[in-house]
Amino acid sequence: MKLPLRLVHKNLFYERLGRHDVSKHALFFEPSLFAKGSLFHFSWELDASIKSEIPDLTTMVDYRDDSDPLNIQLGNPNLRNIHRYNATLSMTKRGSQQRMLSVKFGYHQQDHAVAFGTQFDKGNGISTLQPVSVNGNWSTDTSLGYIQALDSTQKWTIDNQFSLNYNHNVDMTTIVGYTESQRSIVNNWQMGDVLKLNYRPNDNYEFSLHGGGNYYLIHSKRDGFTNIHAGDYNIGMNAHISLPWKLQATTDLTMFARRGYQQHEMNTTNWVWNAQLTRSFIKGKLLAKLQGVDMLHQLSNTQYMMNAQGRTETWHNSIPRYVMFSLAWRFNVNPKKKVTSSPSQ
């Protein structure tokens, strides 16, 4: 068990509507605990820690930006230090026929998270945005995994991974009819499972079928919030094959589907086919690779995502379909051996 103290000092020289010098210091108590052992044929590990930090100093600058008279931005020098608490317990049991059972529990909490609140003046139509410290953010996660060979030769294996997560998320949000941002508490439940059947007759061939899904329950008592009951699922296959002339082929074909979202754009079905062909030369030092991504051209460079507050975000930052040829050279640098002189006679 460790009981450390950490002294943090931060300085910021900030130019925004004048010169602002921000200096913050703190003494953080950050203990950590790691323990392991065995119980009832299970090996277990416990890992717990506390981590702390000073908020981003740019949010703590004492300034008033009214360059846009209707949208004023303020800093907040009174933001509190952020503290994160984490604890994880994992247990594993191994048996014959590659059998392995694993269980994991986790708890995570964040105090004084930084959120952005808005005040709206109905009289003059001015909105004021300012960062604030909020409490109440915590989450738990549970997972259960099981792997086992299905035959005596251990060519067939099955792998199942189940997860159940809960996130109690607190933020500030603007609600129609209110002049001040209100605390937005959103409860996120996520249940998922991934199942994989693998067949490997020898080192030259490997085939697998896989399927999985996640179901989301996102609820809030916040005014105007629409509860979300939605799910994502996928099913597909992949293969790895050794071909003549030392060629290695890998391919993956998977269907991704999303259902139950209020926005029509998020309820999608996409078949994604990726493949690559590789060959090594010069005793493995040179690797040539021909790679094709999204060869059925069903992905878009626009993605719709959902955060812990149930809001959707759109971003454009990818080339979903391409073919690429690459060459890679591997360097091995061995340290020079020291020459030891023999003792004089």
Side-chain angles (χ1 to χ4, degrees):
M1 183 175 181
K2 298 180 181 180
L3 300 174
L5 295 174
R6 185 166 65 97
L7 179 63
V8 179
H9 185 79
K10 287 187 175 183
N11 289 303
L12 176 67
F13 306 105
Y14 193 68
E15 290 284 346
R16 183 169 182 172
L17 302 176
R19 173 66 177 265
H20 303 275
D21 297 345
V22 182
S23 178
K24 298 293 180 181
H25 61 273
L27 180 63
F28 292 131
F29 176 60
E30 297 181 320
S32 63
L33 170 67
F34 178 79
K36 62 180 181 179
S38 60
L39 181 67
F40 300 120
H41 304 290
F42 278 88
S43 59
W44 59 267
E45 291 185 354
L46 175 63
D47 193 356
S49 64
I50 299 176
K51 298 293 183 181
S52 302
E53 65 179 87
I54 297 174
D56 185 348
L57 292 187
T58 58
T59 63
M60 302 186 72
V61 177
D62 189 10
Y63 73 92
R64 177 185 175 90
D65 186 348
D66 55 2
S67 54
D68 182 349
L70 296 180
N71 294 282
I72 299 175
Q73 298 183 38
L74 303 176
N76 188 352
N78 297 316
L79 290 177
R80 304 184 65 179
N81 293 330
I82 301 170
H83 304 290
R84 295 184 175 89
Y85 309 88
N86 296 284
T88 302
L89 174 64
S90 57
M91 298 182 293
T92 304
K93 182 179 180 181
R94 300 179 184 274
S96 59
Q97 295 293 103
Q98 296 184 356
R99 186 181 295 111
M100 183 175 71
L101 175 64
S102 59
V103 184
K104 186 176 181 180
F105 305 95
Y107 176 82
H108 316 280
Q109 178 177 322
Q110 182 176 355
D111 291 348
H112 309 145
V114 177
F116 287 85
T118 303
Q119 289 185 338
F120 179 70
D121 190 331
K122 292 183 178 180
N124 53 28
I126 296 177
S127 295
T128 303
L129 180 70
Q130 185 179 36
V132 294
S133 297
V134 295
N135 284 327
N137 286 283
W138 61 276
S139 64
T140 62
D141 52 80
T142 305
S143 63
L144 176 65
Y146 184 75
I147 303 174
Q148 179 181 338
L150 299 178
D151 62 327
S152 58
T153 59
Q154 300 185 4
K155 295 179 179 180
W156 290 89
T157 57
I158 189 170
D159 183 348
N160 190 78
Q161 303 293 325
F162 172 81
S163 62
L164 178 63
N165 305 320
Y166 172 73
N167 182 10
H168 185 269
N169 187 266
V170 180
D171 203 346
M172 303 296 292
T173 189
T174 301
I175 300 176
V176 177
Y178 287 80
T179 58
E180 282 190 43
S181 292
Q182 304 295 312
R183 279 169 59 93
S184 173
I185 301 176
V186 180
N187 301 292
N188 296 262
W189 290 92
Q190 179 263 324
M191 181 173 62
D193 193 75
V194 177
L195 179 64
K196 181 178 179 181
L197 178 65
N198 194 77
Y199 175 61
R200 185 177 183 180
N202 52 52
D203 292 339
N204 295 323
Y205 302 95
E206 186 171 1
F207 307 92
S208 65
L209 297 174
H210 57 85
N214 289 289
Y215 186 65
Y216 304 97
L217 300 175
I218 303 178
H219 289 193
S220 178
K221 296 180 180 179
R222 189 183 80 203
D223 292 345
F225 186 91
T226 302
N227 294 332
I228 298 173
H229 298 249
D232 306 337
Y233 63 92
N234 65 83
I235 185 171
M237 60 80 62
N238 54 47
H240 179 83
I241 303 173
S242 296
L243 300 175
W245 303 296
K246 298 182 180 180
L247 292 171
Q248 301 287 327
T250 304
T251 185
D252 178 270
L253 177 64
T254 304
M255 181 204 71
F256 297 92
R258 305 171 64 162
R259 296 292 185 270
Y261 297 94
Q262 280 84 12
Q263 287 188 298
H264 175 72
E265 297 87 352
M266 296 186 68
N267 297 312
T268 58
T269 301
N270 302 112
W271 286 89
V272 181
W273 182 24
N274 303 324
Q276 70 177 25
L277 193 65
T278 60
R279 191 186 191 284
S280 60
F281 300 90
I282 315 177
K283 297 182 179 180
K285 293 184 177 181
L286 179 65
L287 180 67
K289 179 190 295 184
L290 179 63
Q291 186 178 23
V293 175
D294 187 27
M295 293 188 292
L296 300 180
H297 199 193
Q298 294 204 5
L299 292 180
S300 171
N301 63 347
T302 301
Q303 293 192 3
Y304 298 88
M305 305 178 66
M306 186 170 58
N307 63 11
Q309 284 286 312
R311 304 172 183 148
T312 58
E313 303 173 356
T314 308
W315 59 274
H316 310 258
N317 190 26
S318 64
I319 303 175
R321 185 190 188 197
Y322 61 88
V323 175
M324 180 174 63
F325 177 75
S326 63
L327 290 172
W329 182 271
R330 185 175 65 183
F331 293 90
N332 289 330
V333 179
N334 296 321
K336 294 182 179 180
K337 295 182 178 180
K338 295 182 180 180
V339 179
T340 57
S341 57
S342 58
S344 57
Q345 299 295 328

